[in-house]
Amino acid sequence: METVRKGDLFVMPGTEQRKYTITDIEALPEGKRAELLDGELYMMASPGRRHQDIVMDLSYLIKDHIVRENGVCRIYPAPFGVYLSGDDRNYVEPDISVICDKSKLTDKGCVGAPDWIIEVVSDSSRLMDYHRKLFKYRTAGVREYWIADPDRQKVTVYHFEHERVEEYGFRDRVKSEIYEGFEIDFSEVGVE
């Protein structure tokens, strides 16, 4: 029987994959985490220590800036639910979410696009972070998306509002357009 290409999946006609919803995410056993993109379920592996060091350092630096500037934005590290498109087929848990519109916040998480998302790449998340999530974040209305890749020692910054992409090294100072004048010195991030 011939196969048919559906996005990056190959399926046999008549054997369409099941489409999952937020209900399936909420029914996962305690301690299991997954993300949902267009009804496709992606199980998440536990992050490593270096990954968590980077997430914590970035979260602290951003939070510190928000507090010093009396900012209104809120920062949430994973696990924090983002109901990305306001439907029941798209749910993600970015490593870091910055939300400036408090009306998007509920007890369950964020409904709609955060203003700024940072993903720290691991081997198991590389395809998701660089491709699938990049497209979903842009179309959902995320203003700025950073991909921090410790293995490649690079930070890719997508300024979706200005349709610009910038690349930095892990020794560079990386500027955010969400906060005027704010930058993060990556030589101080995840240092052991």
Side-chain angles (χ1 to χ4, degrees), residues 22-39:
I22 299 295
T23 303
D24 295 303
I25 293 285
E26 292 169 347
L28 288 173
E30 182 83 23
K32 295 284 184 187
R33 293 177 45 220
E35 293 182 308
L36 190 63
L37 295 174
D38 295 323

Side-chain angles (χ1 to χ4, degrees), residues 12-30:
M12 294 191 314
T15 62
E16 294 289 322
Q17 281 193 323
R18 173 179 178 216
K19 293 296 181 184
Y20 293 89
T21 67
I22 299 295
T23 303
D24 295 303
I25 293 285
E26 292 169 347
L28 288 173
E30 182 83 23

Side-chain angles (χ1 to χ4, degrees), residues 63-177:
K63 174 74 173 188
D64 183 59
H65 178 77
I66 292 170
V67 170
R68 276 187 288 115
E69 297 296 318
N70 295 314
V72 298
C73 301
R74 303 295 307 260
I75 179 170
Y76 297 95
F80 177 75
V82 175
Y83 300 81
L84 196 57
S85 302
D87 61 24
D88 70 343
R89 296 172 4 108
N90 290 283
Y91 169 90
V92 291
E93 292 184 4
D95 290 320
I96 299 173
S97 300
V98 178
I99 298 106
C100 300
D101 179 353
K102 290 183 182 176
S103 71
K104 293 181 178 181
L105 296 172
T106 70
D107 286 342
K108 287 188 170 189
C110 176
V111 178
D115 293 271
W116 180 12
I117 288 178
I118 300 175
E119 295 283 11
V120 179
V121 175
S122 59
D123 286 338
S124 64
S125 73
R126 189 170 302 283
L127 181 63
M128 289 290 286
D129 294 340
Y130 277 105
H131 299 286
R132 291 184 181 111
K133 286 185 180 179
L134 171 64
F135 174 75
K136 291 305 288 185
Y137 291 162
R138 180 181 182 146
T139 58
V142 171
R143 294 168 52 201
E144 191 165 305
Y145 176 39
W146 291 18
I147 301 174
D149 191 332
D151 289 341
R152 295 180 180 167
Q153 291 287 291
K154 77 174 188 176
V155 180
T156 307
V157 177
Y158 295 89
H159 302 284
F160 293 136
E161 290 182 313
H162 300 102
E163 297 185 14
R164 191 172 73 249
V165 179
E166 298 171 336
E167 286 201 357
Y168 299 90
F170 257 54
R171 299 211 178 277
D172 295 332
R173 298 180 76 82
V174 181
K175 295 179 182 180
S176 169
E177 290 184 0

